[in-house]
Amino acid sequence: MDNTEYLRPSNLKELGQIMAGHKNRATVIAGGTNLIPQMRNGGKSPELIVDIGDIQDFSFIMEDDGFISIGAATTIAEIASSDIVSTFSPILASSARELGNPLIRNRATIGGNLANASPCADTALPLLALDAVIRILSPGDKTRNVVLNNFFHGYRFTDLGKGEIITRIIFPKPDDETTGSQIKIGLRNAAAISVASIAVMLTMEGKICRKARIAAGSVAPIPMRVSRVEQLLENQEISATLLEQCKAIMKKEISPISDIRGSAEYRSYVTAVILERNIQRALS
Amino acid sequence: MEQNKFHAIGRIARRKDGIAKVTGREVYSSDVTLPHLLFARVLRSPIPHARIKSINTREAEKMGAVCITSEDTPDIKYNERQVSIPEKTYRDRVVLPDKVRHVGEGFAAVAAKTESLAEKAMRSIEVEYEKLPAIFDPYEAMRSGSPQLYDEICLGDTKLPIESNIACHREVGEGDVEHGFKEADLVVEKEFRTGRVYHAQMETKSVVCRPEPDGGISVWPTTQSIHNTRQLLGRIFSISLNKLNVHRVPIGGSFGSSIQMNTCIPICVALALKAQKPVKLVLSREEDMYDHCKYPVIIQLKYGVKKDGTITAGELKTIVDIGGHNIQAYPLLGCMAGWFVSLYRMPHLQFDGTAVYTNKAPGCAMQGYGNPQVSFAVESMIDIIAEELGMDPIALRLKNYVGLGETFWGQGPTVRSVIRSCGVEEMLLKGKDMIEWDQRVSPDKKTGRYRKGVGVARGFHTSGTGAPTPGEVIDYSTAMVKVNEDGSADFSTALMCHGGGTLEAGAKIVAEELGIPIDKVGISPADTRSTGYDVCTHATRGIYCGGASIQRAAKEAKAKLLKFASRLLDVNPEALKIQPREESDQGHIFLPGSLEKHIPVGEVAKMAQYKGWGTAIGVASHRQVNCPPCFVTNFIEVEVDTYTGEIKTTRAVAAVDCGTPINPDLAAGQLEGGLCRGIGLALLESTDYDPETGRLTCGGTFIDYKFYTPVDMPPVDKVKTFFADTYESSGPFGAKGVGEAANNATAAAVVNAIYNAIGIRFAEAPVTPERVLKALQNQPDVEK
Ligand SMILES: Cc1cc2nc3c(=O)[nH]c(=O)nc-3n(C[C@H](O)[C@H](O)[C@H](O)COP(=O)(O)OP(=O)(O)OC[C@H]3O[C@@H](n4cnc5c(N)ncnc54)[C@H](O)[C@@H]3O)c2cc1C
């Protein structure tokens, strides 16, 4: 870590200049809860760290014109205690409350959680289920939007190019017919990385499911939408038989690995269990 | 009984170290700074078993680092634990070895001006390893032809060849077990296993050393025993003890992991001696996790019982996987025999224990020293027997427990004494009501996804290791108490507080004995030069043994004080009493019944000074001739999610018979802490090793080493604690211990509760959701 340079721009303009000038060597740091451990264990050794912690424009939670926007450097703690988030996307609020521990939540940011692109990133699942879009600032002050579902390309590999920064996360306010549920299985309640987790959003018209969003974590190289299960549910009445089918397809769609937190077998089994549970909870 | 009249004992008082601790002003080893301080790093083996063929430190030296290897350190075999007599001490290690026996074993070290330079210098060292085949399974290790960790070690000063990786073996028997099993109506037999739990104490092992101009050295280490650290350093480095001063530094938790002199201490001393500058060494969490763990055991347990529940015989065979070094396996096996024998009466008994070397981090004492492991097996088995006999588990326990007036072995076969205080029955019966035991239903009557169950287990720990005769284990304490010239007092002792309030208790004992307010008692800083010997604050002995020496010293100081007062008041000293008085905020010496004959303690001390009578001071070096059991009982309710295998603990009752609770709030806290660690042992914790690489599968960090936390515990209002109403006449003001006892019964209570919830008996800990789910899938009547 000795040879790493550190810059902390105080506004967007300074940031833009730094990123344009050093786009090949700059690494963004927000809370540092992923990056610092990665630097310590030798996994990453950035030449230049650009701290976005002072940039006011990256830290907000806003409700506007049918959309919720969250600044990329908003901390998980702020999201967990936000009234807007609790009201319009309780599944994001509850996943934020279950991320890490109080120390981590006070530092960790939502942008860092997504950019780090771990398969177990807790906020990715509700955001996938909420059809979130992320806004990216590219060098030369260009802005582009990417649907979160297209953001994760592979294991810890994202759509972010050199010098690009996530500025905000945007998702539509769910309507009254849409409800969600989210469940994380960890080895304990406190500060546990997920063994398997699922977030679900369902839009109902009477007994018929019009739209389904299912996202699964820790069971594939990326946090993923499970579209085959979504298709199975859409325009159907949700019955016990349908749920059994969903569970079976779910197990086929995911590709969990065995590691210290759980075996592939266990992950596959509980993913199906929490899928069913989530759907039941969303409907109740 | 006296206990109702206490003014200090049993009072809830503000902790003397509380403000420093909560404001971050407490100075731990890693906070000690000295002029010209260098920082050390240890080079540790990435492979589990290897001979070090060559080490090249040239690059590191070029960077300005001071380097040491096995060639710079004394070739003296030592055992880091100095609690047993030398003839029972197995010495298998040196300061820096030329052969490493587990991943993470240090074999070279550097010191440099900054931490990062030290780290760089350490990484620049070139090493040539000769890889040796490694072994991770104790059964495989004992097989003939298996790779050997050692050819020979030293037992005391005598050479001891090691065969089949067996570090030591112990057999203890009484009566004739075969005969006992024949007399039984029912014989039950089962194998139990517990995990390789990591201590997870908050502070990682740390030390600061300063070489002194006279050739001596001063040390500020993480330790539970400053005196043993000093003696061992003196032996290894041939430094006369009067030139070797070890300071007591507050410890950031321990759970028994610093009973021994931590191996980083002699490494740091060697660096400081070579550099002739002060050196600081602070282990990382990963290094610490490769340094020690709880002893994992495999226990084969067999009991014979009569139809009425009377136990006729018991046999316990155990294999303990001790890892790469034998820190204290011999006394451990003795204690495990003692725990087994002292839980339930058995006319015929047999114990057979074997400790086996493997290429993993060494095991050492951890809260209970084999007792949670033995109790896990025994208390599970008692439930199994109760079910087979159709008896209530509580009734079966009440029928067979070793209690008042009976002999118990406590710390192994050589430490026997008679039980003189016992709250077992009270705790079982009161706890039973509190948890609503009578509403418990059998598992086959439960349905639905979530199933609750209630379990009970009991146990005990000894308060120290004292006995009427000297045994294998050294046990005594020294204390000094003096009355100051304003009526306050100071006491000094080499006892250590692990966070549980041992020194607070010492202050209350002094306050009570001298009749002065708790606020007026100061805890003196301690080092080995200014205190008499104290073996170690371990074995739940702090209050019962250490406190007894403090009380004796205080009594002596009080006798002198009363003698001085008797001259001033013209009253026979025996007729005088001391009591604290609120209005003057100090103790008053008075003649009961007289209005004139009274004088504040401070005035007596002051007058004694003016008149040249001397200081009212007392010193005592004292061995307890007993180590009374502090009994515990746990009731726990769990809720099993039969869909995911997850287990929640939803209610608990924890009770202890610690005699007089000197710090009731802290003792209750110990009960809760013990519960938390015990549930972790049952449900969550183990350090596993990858047999390919010999490395920890959790990687040595808390991201993947999970212990049970307050957030996982039952809600605060669902955890109840209480104390049995007992008085131990041999203890200071009736007190016994708490510390280790708090944790001994818990794991068994958890598995008994799981059985009551889903009808599945888990004999291997930790009971992870995966194991639960697998077991449930073989259980046809549970819906999935
Ligand atoms: C003890 C512990 C427990 C944890 N528990 C959990 C858990 O339960 N669940 C969970 O999901 N995670 C957990 N984490 C991981 C981590 O805290 C989260 O992923 C966190 O949200 C990362 O945010 P950060 O701001 O700290 O990221 P940083 O470490 O600052 O950055 C992470 C990565 O994202 C990049 N980055 C950050 N911000 C941006 C941006 N605006 N634009 C582009 N790139 C950016 C950085 O360059 C870096 O590569 C845990 C971590 C620790 C240390």
Side-chain angles (χ1 to χ4, degrees):
Chain A
M1 271 194 223
D2 275 1
N3 305 325
T4 306
E5 248 180 280
Y6 175 83
L7 291 173
R8 193 177 169 95
S10 49
N11 54 48
L12 263 179
K13 200 170 144 217
E14 272 179 44
L15 173 70
Q17 284 162 355
I18 294 169
M19 294 311 279
H22 303 275
K23 71 170 188 203
N24 288 324
R25 45 192 291 267
T27 299
V28 175
I29 191 165
T33 59
N34 277 130
L35 190 61
I36 301 286
Q38 286 159 1
M39 286 168 68
R40 282 199 167 220
N41 66 25
K44 279 192 183 167
S45 40
E47 275 178 53
L48 169 66
I49 290 181
V50 182
D51 191 332
I52 57 169
D54 275 352
I55 298 172
Q56 298 292 327
D57 310 78
F58 286 175
S59 182
F60 61 86
I61 299 171
M62 222 164 57
E63 179 208 348
D64 184 26
D65 200 20
F67 287 89
I68 309 290
S69 304
I70 301 177
T74 308
T75 65
I76 301 298
E78 285 161 347
I79 293 168
S81 60
S82 152
D83 288 340
I84 298 179
V85 177
S86 299
T87 312
F88 298 109
S89 48
I91 61 169
L92 179 59
S94 64
S95 74
R97 281 194 287 269
E98 288 177 9
L99 188 150
N101 57 36
L103 270 72
I104 295 293
R105 289 194 288 274
N106 282 334
R107 288 211 60 85
T109 66
I110 188 162
N113 198 231
L114 297 177
N116 187 62
S118 160
C120 55
D122 280 331
T123 64
L125 309 175
L127 290 173
L128 282 169
L130 286 160
D131 284 329
V133 167
I134 58 181
R135 182 160 300 163
I136 294 171
L137 180 69
S138 307
D141 279 344
K142 280 173 282 190
T143 304
R144 65 188 184 98
N145 286 342
V146 184
V147 175
L148 186 59
N149 196 23
N150 299 330
F151 178 72
F152 303 111
H153 290 319
Y155 181 67
R156 290 183 181 271
F157 173 43
T158 69
D159 201 54
L160 283 174
K162 287 219 160 78
E164 286 194 319
I165 294 179
I166 304 175
T167 59
R168 66 175 63 188
I169 292 101
I170 310 150
F171 54 87
K173 244 165 56 181
D175 61 24
D176 290 347
E177 278 66 52
T178 305
T179 52
S181 167
Q182 160 274 337
I183 295 176
K184 165 177 172 179
I185 301 271
L187 289 174
R188 65 173 185 203
N189 294 335
I193 290 169
S194 82
V195 171
S197 55
I198 287 205
V200 165
M201 291 295 290
L202 299 176
T203 308
M204 301 300 292
E205 196 182 303
K207 289 189 162 175
I208 305 296
C209 170
R210 284 297 170 218
K211 184 174 151 196
R213 289 290 178 268
I214 314 276
S218 299
V219 288
I222 56 169
M224 63 181 282
R225 281 256 306 270
V226 195
S227 25
R228 282 198 56 207
V229 176
E230 295 173 357
Q231 285 154 15
L232 211 60
L233 289 165
E234 282 176 359
N235 301 316
Q236 300 292 324
E237 187 173 331
I238 298 176
S239 63
T241 358
L242 186 64
L243 279 180
E244 282 310 314
Q245 277 175 303
C246 289
K247 283 165 75 177
I249 298 292
M250 187 70 174
K251 288 186 189 172
K252 286 198 186 129
E253 288 297 286
I254 58 179
S255 49
I257 56 161
S258 292
D259 65 14
I260 174 155
R261 295 172 202 136
S263 67
E265 212 185 337
Y266 180 72
R267 286 195 154 109
S268 170
Y269 183 85
V270 292
T271 303
V273 169
I274 59 176
L275 170 69
E276 179 177 20
R277 183 102 198 287
N278 263 323
I279 295 174
Q280 286 163 346
R281 281 211 321 208
L283 295 181
S284 67
Chain B
M1 232 157 266
E2 291 275 319
Q3 63 250 59
N4 297 330
K5 295 190 210 131
F6 297 145
H7 76 269
I9 300 295
R11 264 262 311 279
I12 292 176
R14 175 189 276 182
R15 277 186 79 137
K16 291 180 189 294
D17 58 358
I19 290 178
K21 281 189 168 152
V22 299
T23 57
R25 276 152 72 190
E26 189 67 285
V27 175
Y28 297 91
S29 278
S30 58
D31 299 315
V32 171
T33 58
L34 297 168
H36 312 297
L37 190 62
L38 301 182
F39 297 87
R41 298 298 294 148
V42 179
L43 182 59
R44 297 177 180 278
S45 175
I47 37 185
H49 200 189
R51 206 176 301 283
I52 310 296
K53 282 174 73 181
S54 71
I55 307 182
N56 183 341
T57 56
R58 230 166 299 145
E59 279 304 311
E61 273 151 5
K62 261 196 231 155
M63 295 177 197
V66 175
C67 305
I68 54 169
T69 68
S70 66
E71 284 170 19
D72 303 279
T73 48
D75 185 22
I76 293 199
K77 280 217 172 68
Y78 76 86
N79 177 318
E80 54 265 57
R81 177 183 173 272
Q82 294 274 99
V83 176
S84 295
I85 55 172
E87 303 87 87
K88 298 292 179 200
T89 300
Y90 290 71
R91 294 169 169 151
D92 68 16
R93 76 188 315 160
V94 291
V95 178
L96 290 173
D98 54 12
K99 187 180 175 193
V100 286
R101 295 177 173 88
H102 63 90
V103 169
E105 176 146 31
F107 59 90
V110 302
K113 282 199 175 131
T114 64
E115 254 185 296
S116 61
L117 186 60
E119 178 80 22
K120 253 192 218 155
M122 185 265 280
R123 285 173 195 250
S124 77
I125 296 175
E126 287 166 21
V127 186
E128 215 185 322
Y129 299 93
E130 178 193 331
K131 274 197 190 173
L132 302 171
I135 195 132
F136 303 102
D137 178 81
Y139 287 110
E140 227 174 277
M142 286 188 285
R143 217 167 281 150
S144 73
S146 273
Q148 298 290 300
L149 271 75
Y150 296 89
D151 299 325
E152 66 173 28
I153 62 158
C154 286
L155 178 55
D157 294 321
T158 348
K159 294 216 153 95
L160 179 74
I162 296 292
E163 273 157 36
S164 308
N165 293 310
I166 293 175
C168 57
H169 178 81
R170 244 176 138 154
E171 275 175 47
V172 183
E174 268 183 9
D176 173 357
V177 272
E178 285 321 315
H179 179 77
F181 287 131
K182 276 201 200 106
E183 282 179 344
D185 297 320
L186 170 73
V187 175
V188 285
E189 207 172 348
K190 200 166 181 68
E191 182 177 291
F192 297 87
R193 290 176 185 239
T194 59
R196 216 176 175 81
V197 175
Y198 167 59
H199 296 73
Q201 79 291 348
M202 249 195 274
E203 177 193 28
T204 61
K205 306 297 154 69
S206 311
V207 55
V208 174
C209 303
R210 180 177 65 201
E212 300 298 351
D214 65 359
I217 192 148
S218 301
V219 187
W220 290 263
T222 305
T223 187
Q224 293 173 234
S225 172
I226 54 175
H227 282 281
N228 287 347
T229 301
R230 162 154 97 162
Q231 290 182 10
L232 189 47
L233 288 176
R235 181 174 156 259
I236 295 173
F237 292 97
S238 304
I239 300 175
S240 160
L241 294 189
N242 66 318
K243 291 187 175 174
L244 221 165
N245 197 20
V246 180
H247 296 262
R248 180 175 70 201
V249 194
I251 197 168
S254 163
F255 297 103
S257 63
S258 290
I259 291 172
Q260 58 271 22
M261 175 193 72
N262 292 311
T263 52
C264 59
I265 298 173
I267 295 176
C268 193
V269 167
L271 278 169
L273 289 175
K274 183 163 177 187
Q276 278 304 305
K277 282 203 178 131
V279 178
K280 177 189 275 192
L281 175 53
V282 178
L283 298 196
S284 69
R285 182 58 66 188
E286 184 184 9
E287 286 178 292
D288 203 82
M289 233 185 261
Y290 277 110
D291 197 57
H292 49 82
C293 65
K294 192 184 195 91
Y295 287 110
V297 304
I298 302 167
I299 287 177
Q300 258 121 22
L301 181 61
K302 187 172 170 185
Y303 277 116
V305 280
K306 292 266 193 209
K307 277 202 191 96
D308 69 353
T310 313
I311 298 174
T312 60
E315 182 181 72
L316 190 150
K317 293 184 181 164
T318 184
I319 302 285
V320 184
D321 174 358
I322 65 166
H325 292 283
N326 181 351
I327 298 180
Q328 67 223 130
Y330 184 81
L332 171 85
L333 294 176
C335 281
M336 287 177 74
W339 313 139
F340 171 51
V341 170
S342 306
L343 274 166
Y344 295 102
R345 237 173 284 126
M346 296 172 281
H348 305 283
L349 61 97
Q350 185 66 38
F351 172 88
D352 182 319
T354 308
V356 187
Y357 283 119
T358 57
N359 293 105
K360 296 186 254 185
C364 72
M366 180 179 165
Q367 199 175 18
Y369 198 33
N371 200 333
Q373 296 93 316
V374 169
S375 297
F376 177 70
V378 170
E379 287 296 288
S380 296
M381 204 61 143
I382 294 295
D383 264 34
I384 294 173
I385 295 169
E387 186 174 30
E388 296 250 351
L389 296 178
M391 265 179 95
D392 179 68
I394 294 176
L396 183 61
R397 286 175 170 84
L398 286 172
K399 190 175 181 79
N400 290 293
Y401 78 91
V402 178
L404 210 60
E406 292 180 278
T407 303
F408 87 117
W409 297 12
Q411 294 263 339
T414 61
V415 183
R416 300 188 187 207
S417 54
V418 173
I419 300 172
R420 291 183 234 169
S421 59
C422 173
V424 172
E425 187 170 334
E426 178 192 342
M427 290 189 290
L428 279 170
L429 297 182
K430 190 167 163 191
K432 179 180 166 182
D433 286 345
M434 287 168 75
I435 203 84
E436 298 160 321
W437 180 262
D438 293 336
Q439 293 179 19
R440 202 172 94 124
V441 293
S442 63
D444 53 305
K445 303 215 170 61
K446 292 175 188 172
T447 54
R449 171 170 177 176
Y450 299 99
R451 302 198 188 168
K452 284 194 173 176
V454 173
V456 66
R458 54 169 294 272
F460 75 100
H461 207 77
T462 61
S463 314
T465 66
T469 54
E472 296 163 7
V473 194
I474 299 160
D475 195 308
Y476 71 92
S477 287
T478 309
M480 192 261 282
V481 174
K482 67 180 167 62
V483 181
N484 298 325
E485 295 70 23
D486 63 350
S488 66
D490 296 314
F491 77 102
S492 74
T493 151
L495 277 180
M496 188 75 216
C497 175
H498 306 177
T502 306
L503 295 172
E504 297 298 312
K508 286 182 185 165
I509 288 168
V510 171
E512 191 65 51
E513 195 59 56
L514 290 181
I516 63 175
I518 303 171
D519 262 4
K520 287 283 142 83
V521 181
I523 304 169
S524 302
D527 59 34
T528 49
R529 274 196 175 128
S530 62
T531 55
Y533 182 78
D534 180 282
V535 62
C536 182
T537 312
H538 75 139
T540 308
R541 66 181 292 284
I543 288 179
Y544 179 75
C545 302
S549 74
I550 296 169
Q551 188 183 19
R552 276 166 175 75
K555 273 195 166 72
E556 198 181 310
K558 180 180 174 180
K560 286 184 188 155
L561 186 69
L562 293 182
K563 200 174 78 188
F564 300 154
S566 77
R567 290 185 202 165
L568 296 169
L569 296 174
D570 196 20
V571 178
N572 189 315
E574 265 104 88
L576 291 172
K577 294 244 176 298
I578 321 182
Q579 254 176 18
R581 283 223 182 139
E582 234 167 72
E583 62 277 16
S584 61
D585 197 22
Q586 62 166 299
H588 273 244
I589 301 173
F590 63 99
L591 176 66
S594 151
L595 288 177
E596 305 92 65
K597 301 276 185 189
H598 71 91
I599 184 169
V601 170
E603 205 174 313
V604 176
K606 199 82 204 163
M607 289 307 288
Q609 183 195 8
Y610 293 158
K611 293 182 184 281
W613 294 340
T615 296
I617 188 168
V619 179
S621 201
H622 171 73
R623 172 180 170 81
Q624 287 286 46
V625 296
N626 202 345
C627 55
C630 29
F631 295 103
V632 277
T633 301
N634 281 179
F635 289 86
I636 292 176
E637 181 188 69
V638 300
E639 182 188 271
V640 181
D641 181 339
T642 56
Y643 285 21
T644 62
E646 292 171 299
I647 297 173
K648 265 201 236 163
T649 48
T650 44
R651 279 193 299 153
V653 174
V656 68
D657 159 20
C658 60
T660 306
I662 293 191
N663 300 316
D665 51 340
L666 299 178
Q670 298 246 22
L671 284 176
E672 288 164 6
L675 264 180
C676 188
R677 295 304 317 249
I679 297 170
L681 171 67
L683 298 181
L684 202 54
E685 296 184 54
S686 187
T687 48
D688 297 326
Y689 281 76
D690 177 344
E692 295 296 314
T693 61
R695 303 181 70 95
L696 286 168
T697 52
C698 70
T701 72
F702 284 153
I703 298 267
D704 278 315
Y705 184 80
K706 294 290 181 216
F707 45 85
Y708 219 64
T709 73
V711 185
D712 302 288
M713 289 280 281
V716 180
D717 60 334
K718 300 282 192 245
V719 179
K720 303 257 190 288
T721 58
F722 71 92
F723 303 110
D725 184 16
T726 59
Y727 190 90
E728 172 61 40
S729 54
S730 66
F733 299 105
K736 302 192 266 189
V738 183
E740 292 172 278
N743 165 59
N744 287 347
T746 309
V750 173
V751 290
N752 287 343
I754 297 171
Y755 183 82
N756 180 243
I758 55 175
I760 297 174
R761 169 65 51 191
F762 289 94
E764 181 172 356
V767 185
T768 59
E770 288 215 46
R771 286 188 178 152
V772 174
L773 207 54
K774 231 176 229 147
L776 279 167
Q777 280 163 348
N778 301 329
Q779 185 101 330
D781 56 315
V782 177
E783 56 181 290
K784 280 160 218 128

